[in-house]
């Protein structure tokens, strides 16, 4: 497997009450998130061009049957990244 990815959480930039809440959440959460082999591989696949379907296919090629059910695992991973504000989804 390749080198594991460490994602550093960006400092919030919002102001006002929303900014205070985001600053508190930032201070209480881990500043760095260390991804496992599957998360690191997935992170590297998302380049703004590949679809989730493409990433699922790449995961199957890399990890074989051990990754199944790949769609569920990738969906859970993406929800975690969204909740932690480590990624965002732009509308098509």
């Amino acid at each position: 497997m390749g080198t594991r990815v460490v994602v550093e959480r960006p400092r919030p930039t919002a102001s006002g009450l929303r900014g205070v809440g985001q600053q508190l959440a930032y201070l209480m959460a881990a500043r760095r998130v260390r991804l496992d082999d599957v998360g690191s591989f997935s992170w590297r696949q998302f380049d703004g061009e590949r679809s989730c379907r493409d990433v699922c296919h790449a995961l199957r090629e890399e990890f074989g049957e051990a990754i199944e059910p790949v769609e569920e695992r990738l969906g859970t991973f993406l929800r975690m990244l969204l909740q932690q504000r480590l990624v965002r989804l732009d509308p098509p």
Side-chain angles (χ1 to χ4, degrees), residues 7-79:
V7 181
E8 191 164 331
R9 185 182 314 282
R11 193 174 230 7
T13 58
S15 59
L17 286 176
R18 183 176 188 185
V20 170
Q22 288 181 2
Q23 287 289 340
L24 286 173
Y26 173 79
L27 293 172
M28 293 172 50
R31 291 204 175 78
R32 291 188 177 117
V33 178
R34 289 171 179 80
L35 303 179
D36 64 6
D37 289 333
V38 173
S40 295
F41 183 86
S42 300
W43 180 269
R44 288 186 187 98
Q45 298 301 305
F46 285 109
D47 59 1
E49 299 295 322
R50 291 183 181 101
S51 68
C52 287
R53 180 177 292 153
D54 295 336
V55 175
C56 286
H57 180 72
L59 283 163
R60 280 190 181 105
E61 285 184 359
E62 182 72 14
F63 296 98
E65 291 294 316
I67 195 68
E68 297 299 338
V70 69
E71 290 86 0
E72 286 181 32
R73 290 186 70 170
L74 187 60
T76 299
F77 177 65
L78 287 173
R79 279 189 294 281

Side-chain angles (χ1 to χ4, degrees), residues 82 86-90:
L82 287 165
L86 296 173
V87 297
R88 71 167 191 243
L89 297 177
D90 290 332

